[in-house]
Amino acid sequence: MASPPEIAVVGAGIFVKTQYIPRLAEISHLLTLKYIWSRTQESSRAAVEIAKQHFPGVECKWGEQGLNDIIQDASLLGVAVVLAGQAQVDISLKLLKGGKHVIQGTTEIETALANYNSICTHPGQPIWAVAENYRFEPAFVESKKLLAEIGDMMNVQVLIEGSMNSSNPYFSSSWRRNFEGGFILDMGVHYIAGLRMMVGCEVTTVSAITSHVDTSLPPPDIISSNFKLENGCSGAFVMVVNSNSPKIIWRVVGLKGTIQVERGKQDGKHGYLVTLYGADGQCKSTFYSFCGVNEELKAFVHDIKQATNKKGSGYEAEPRSSYVEGARDVAVLEAMLESGSKGGALVQVKKF
């Protein structure tokens, strides 16, 4: 039996410590965590101390030399890039150019498409997967299957009342405050991924109003948008970055029923309640715990193995984690923000 693929994590912030290391530990039979990299030795060591409980052999890497070590390590196949939005694209492209398979967040992904295509134009090119995009959450996988039961789609509603206040560990994150779109883009891109996954078609045009009410947050902190899907259906996307009554709902109304996905908690577990309201007035609900990060990491490891076994054959990675899907998520939100800056003007969503 072949040994599990070796991977590295580039980044050592809050999300790595609280989410990535525990999730990787849960699938430790599928992979070996070889390195954790950060800009500073101190930050790298702090994350490695946590990871050593599950991966005793994990090593620290830091700075430019540490990144070069990772690129030059031929035994290392994949890298999870978990960095500030402004930094992750350049480093991801550097790793891809070095032949490493990469999984990363979505925020700045659109700007890197042309660069990626210029680097990776040959069969057997490195996989570039998009993380934390909600397409791997079982709730959205199942709600998409239920769509056929509600008949012709009539309307879609997405309501996001977030809880980004001073008690949130990401509230003071400087990088989220220092790029255009701020928390709206950083948080909202995941909700758009859920929307696109559920409806199974693209958003074509948007019109939005943005505003700034909570001065503890960067502008804008509120967005209200109407949108049109390529199937002709209309919808509304409303997001408040910080609310005293957090609520997150996706709702698709059809001729024969309605599907609703609502974030919540059941039996001490966080996740989503998926409810199908039938034409007969009956409803059935199922709760799905959060596990999308686990599922996308498992898919990434599987894709690394397949790409390694079929080297040079142009292996295509899991479609849900495609960098193009990530770019499409970002494009919808960027169109909404552009419309907001133009006082609600109708904006076409870029196509990829």
Side-chain angles (χ1 to χ4, degrees):
M1 185 181 292
S3 57
E6 294 182 332
I7 72 163
V9 171
V10 168
I14 297 168
F15 199 72
V16 168
K17 292 172 184 172
T18 63
Q19 295 297 323
Y20 258 76
I21 291 172
R23 301 294 81 78
L24 289 169
E26 290 169 9
I27 57 170
S28 59
H29 59 292
L30 299 176
L31 58 89
T32 298
L33 179 58
K34 191 169 186 180
Y35 305 121
I36 295 179
W37 176 94
S38 183
R39 285 176 301 133
T40 67
Q41 181 179 6
E42 181 184 13
S43 180
S44 176
R45 286 195 184 282
V48 162
E49 284 306 309
I50 297 170
K52 275 189 173 178
Q53 300 170 45
H54 312 286
F55 300 96
V58 64
E59 299 175 34
C60 296
K61 291 290 178 182
W62 62 91
E64 195 66 31
Q65 184 55 52
L67 195 61
N68 288 336
D69 290 345
I70 288 171
I71 292 170
Q72 290 165 16
D73 186 338
S75 69
L76 191 82
L77 299 177
V79 182
V81 178
V82 196
L83 293 169
Q86 295 94 327
Q88 68 182 3
V89 167
D90 286 345
I91 287 183
S92 291
L93 291 170
K94 188 178 289 189
L95 290 160
L96 288 161
K97 198 169 184 178
K100 306 302 182 191
H101 301 296
V102 170
I103 184 168
Q104 68 157 84
T106 59
T107 311
E108 296 286 310
I109 206 167
E110 183 187 331
T111 61
L113 285 171
N115 288 323
Y116 175 70
N117 289 328
S118 69
I119 291 168
C120 304
T121 56
H122 55 83
Q125 65 189 33
I127 294 163
W128 186 15
V130 172
E132 306 133 53
N133 64 42
Y134 284 26
R135 277 178 280 275
F136 285 86
E137 290 291 349
F140 292 102
V141 175
E142 294 306 313
S143 62
K144 184 177 181 179
K145 292 176 186 175
L146 292 172
L147 206 65
E149 298 188 33
I150 66 169
D152 291 342
M153 202 182 298
M154 296 195 297
N155 188 255
V156 183
Q157 303 143 38
V158 183
L159 173 65
I160 310 297
E161 296 178 11
S163 55
M164 186 52 67
N165 53 44
S166 58
S167 65
N168 190 301
Y170 302 103
F171 178 78
S172 299
S173 172
S174 60
W175 75 263
R176 289 175 174 86
R177 293 172 172 272
N178 294 333
F179 74 95
E180 193 173 348
F183 286 108
I184 290 278
L185 184 56
D186 177 56
M187 295 163 60
V189 71
H190 306 305
Y191 308 130
I192 295 296
L195 163 67
R196 291 183 55 248
M197 179 70 175
M198 275 187 78
V199 300
C201 63
E202 298 303 326
V203 179
T204 56
T205 57
V206 303
S207 174
I209 299 296
T210 52
S211 54
H212 188 211
V213 176
D214 187 341
T215 55
S216 70
L217 295 164
D221 67 320
I222 301 164
I223 188 166
S224 299
S225 177
N226 291 322
F227 61 82
K228 185 178 179 181
L229 299 176
E230 62 185 356
N231 64 5
C233 182
S234 65
F237 177 91
V238 178
M239 181 175 173
V240 178
V241 173
N242 184 41
S243 164
N244 288 321
S245 55
K247 186 173 283 291
I248 301 178
I249 293 176
W250 294 257
R251 191 173 169 91
V252 181
V253 182
L255 271 172
K256 299 178 182 177
T258 296
I259 298 168
Q260 179 173 293
V261 178
E262 181 171 8
R263 185 178 288 188
K265 196 174 181 181
Q266 188 168 297
D267 300 326
K269 294 182 178 179
H270 290 275
Y272 302 93
L273 185 68
V274 177
T275 304
L276 173 64
Y277 299 90
D280 57 1
Q282 300 294 311
C283 73
K284 55 181 179 181
S285 298
T286 307
F287 184 81
Y288 297 91
S289 298
F290 286 145
C291 65
V293 174
N294 293 56
E295 294 304 313
E296 68 193 11
L297 286 170
K298 281 194 256 184
F300 182 57
V301 172
H302 174 266
D303 287 339
I304 288 173
K305 288 180 177 178
Q306 294 297 105
T308 303
N309 292 337
K310 300 177 181 180
K311 195 168 186 179
S313 63
Y315 175 76
E316 292 291 330
E318 159 68 70
R320 286 177 293 170
S321 60
S322 160
Y323 68 94
V324 175
E325 289 297 324
R328 288 169 180 161
D329 296 336
V330 173
V332 173
L333 213 43
E334 287 191 336
M336 290 178 179
L337 289 165
E338 180 185 342
S339 175
S341 71
K342 295 177 177 177
L346 193 68
V347 173
Q348 296 278 338
V349 177
K350 289 179 187 174
K351 292 183 179 181
F352 294 96

